[in-house]
mmCIF file of all heavy atoms in Angstrom:
data_model
loop_
_atom_site.group_PDB
_atom_site.id
_atom_site.type_symbol
_atom_site.label_atom_id
_atom_site.label_comp_id
_atom_site.label_asym_id
_atom_site.label_seq_id
_atom_site.Cartn_x
_atom_site.Cartn_y
_atom_site.Cartn_z
ATOM 1 N N SER A 49 11.097 13.756 2.317
ATOM 2 C CA SER A 49 10.106 14.593 2.981
ATOM 3 C C SER A 49 8.732 14.013 2.736
ATOM 4 O O SER A 49 8.250 14.003 1.615
ATOM 5 C CB SER A 49 10.168 16.028 2.439
ATOM 6 O OG SER A 49 9.085 16.778 2.934
ATOM 7 N N ASP A 51 5.682 14.947 3.651
ATOM 8 C CA ASP A 51 4.633 15.868 3.231
ATOM 9 C C ASP A 51 4.790 16.245 1.764
ATOM 10 O O ASP A 51 3.837 16.236 0.999
ATOM 11 C CB ASP A 51 4.648 17.133 4.099
ATOM 12 C CG ASP A 51 4.201 16.846 5.528
ATOM 13 O OD1 ASP A 51 3.511 15.828 5.715
ATOM 14 O OD2 ASP A 51 4.556 17.621 6.419
ATOM 15 N N VAL A 77 23.922 5.507 -2.517
ATOM 16 C CA VAL A 77 24.198 4.865 -3.800
ATOM 17 C C VAL A 77 23.603 5.753 -4.888
ATOM 18 O O VAL A 77 22.824 6.667 -4.592
ATOM 19 C CB VAL A 77 23.576 3.451 -3.850
ATOM 20 C CG1 VAL A 77 24.164 2.569 -2.765
ATOM 21 C CG2 VAL A 77 22.060 3.520 -3.712
ATOM 22 N N ILE A 126 23.629 -3.048 3.155
ATOM 23 C CA ILE A 126 22.485 -2.161 3.383
ATOM 24 C C ILE A 126 22.106 -2.207 4.855
ATOM 25 O O ILE A 126 21.802 -3.280 5.393
ATOM 26 C CB ILE A 126 21.271 -2.560 2.528
ATOM 27 C CG1 ILE A 126 21.631 -2.590 1.047
ATOM 28 C CG2 ILE A 126 20.115 -1.590 2.768
ATOM 29 C CD1 ILE A 126 20.485 -3.001 0.145
ATOM 30 N N ALA A 184 -21.052 11.519 -5.975
ATOM 31 C CA ALA A 184 -20.165 12.228 -6.905
ATOM 32 C C ALA A 184 -20.976 12.887 -8.008
ATOM 33 O O ALA A 184 -21.909 12.293 -8.543
ATOM 34 C CB ALA A 184 -19.154 11.268 -7.506
#
Side-chain angles (χ1 to χ4, degrees):
S49 171
D51 291 338
V77 299
I126 304 179

